């Protein structure tokens, strides 16, 4: 005979209720890990567009530069033409190498790039073209360090912010000791 308590006893621990996925699951995900050579290739493409932006000095071109960063922050290379070109063409055909690095610092670096390019876009819109050119010039320096030397300034800043407790350790446990001179 069964008692009321035995009717509700779980007999199989493998059965679990699946949580309904949120509307954005997968849509705004950033890859983790990422291929460092793809990030470096993307930085090289950013340098080219940024130099053209400085030369032309038109708001729409600064807007295109900022839009690229928006797309990369939103989903890594998934939505970004530069990211897709880097992942699917440049890395397999030119670099032919793979070096995986944590994704969260790269996303943070893209967000910093968005802040710089967005600032340049706004400055250009309000008629401060020279200021926009200077801001994009700083962006070029950071992108050049990433492209040529593999030094990601945004990633270094991410590591320092994580060590200071501004960014929680669980965001990226593999990278909470990144400093300017490598692992701390």
């Amino acid at each position: 005979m069964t008692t009321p308590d035995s009717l509700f006893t779980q007999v199989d621990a493998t059965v679990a209720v699946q949580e309904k996925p949120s509307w954005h699951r997968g849509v705004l995900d950033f890859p983790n890990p990422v291929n460092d050579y793809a990030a470096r290739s993307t930085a090289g493409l950013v340098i080219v567009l940024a130099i053209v932006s400085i030369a032309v000095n038109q708001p729409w071109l600064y807007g295109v530069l900022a839009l690229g960063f928006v797309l990369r922050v939103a989903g890594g290379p998934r939505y970004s033409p530069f990211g897709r070109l880097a992942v699917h063409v440049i890395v397999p055909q030119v670099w032919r190498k793979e070096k995986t690095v944590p994704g969260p610092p790269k996303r943070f670096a893209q967000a910093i790039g968005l802040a710089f390019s967005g600032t340049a876009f706004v400055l250009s819109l309000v008629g401060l073209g020279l200021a926009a050119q200077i801001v994009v010039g700083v962006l070029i320096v950071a992108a050049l360090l990433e492209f040529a030397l593999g030094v990601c300034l945004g990633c270094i800043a991410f590591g320092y912010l994580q060590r200071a407790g501004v960014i929680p350790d669980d965001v990226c446990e593999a990278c909470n000791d990144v400093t300017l001179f490598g692992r701390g």
Side-chain angles (χ1 to χ4, degrees):
M1 172 166 273
T2 61
T3 64
D5 290 335
S6 67
L7 291 176
F8 299 104
T9 303
Q10 183 175 351
V11 292
D12 187 358
T14 62
V15 177
V17 177
Q18 292 283 332
E19 204 176 306
K20 185 176 178 182
S22 59
W23 66 271
H24 67 79
R25 183 158 319 255
V27 176
L28 300 177
D29 289 345
F30 194 89
N32 187 23
V34 300
N35 185 346
D36 193 47
Y37 291 101
R40 291 175 70 175
S41 299
T42 303
L45 295 169
V46 166
I47 291 167
V48 172
L49 181 57
I51 289 170
V52 171
S53 298
I54 287 174
V56 175
N57 200 23
Q58 291 293 315
W60 69 270
L61 206 45
Y62 293 118
V64 169
L65 184 63
L67 178 60
F69 280 103
V70 167
L71 295 173
R72 286 187 295 280
V73 168
R78 180 182 307 139
Y79 306 121
S80 164
F82 282 179
R84 294 189 70 80
L85 182 62
V87 168
H88 298 292
V89 178
I90 296 172
V91 170
Q93 300 297 321
V94 178
W95 289 101
R96 297 180 183 176
K97 296 180 185 178
E98 183 172 335
K99 175 185 171 191
T100 56
V101 295
K106 294 294 186 184
R107 186 178 218 174
F108 182 78
Q110 291 293 325
I112 292 172
L114 172 58
F116 274 78
S117 59
T119 299
F121 177 56
V122 170
L123 289 169
S124 183
L125 282 174
V126 298
L128 299 172
L130 178 60
Q133 290 171 314
I134 292 168
V135 169
V136 171
V138 173
L139 178 67
I140 289 171
V141 170
L144 186 60
L145 286 170
E146 170 75 13
F147 173 70
L149 303 175
V151 175
C152 174
L153 295 179
C155 299
I156 293 166
F158 182 94
Y160 280 117
L161 290 171
Q162 196 169 36
R163 288 176 73 192
V166 176
I167 297 173
D169 284 344
D170 63 349
V171 170
C172 182
E173 292 178 9
C175 52
N176 64 3
D177 61 350
V178 176
T179 64
L180 181 59
F181 304 106
R183 301 253 170 218

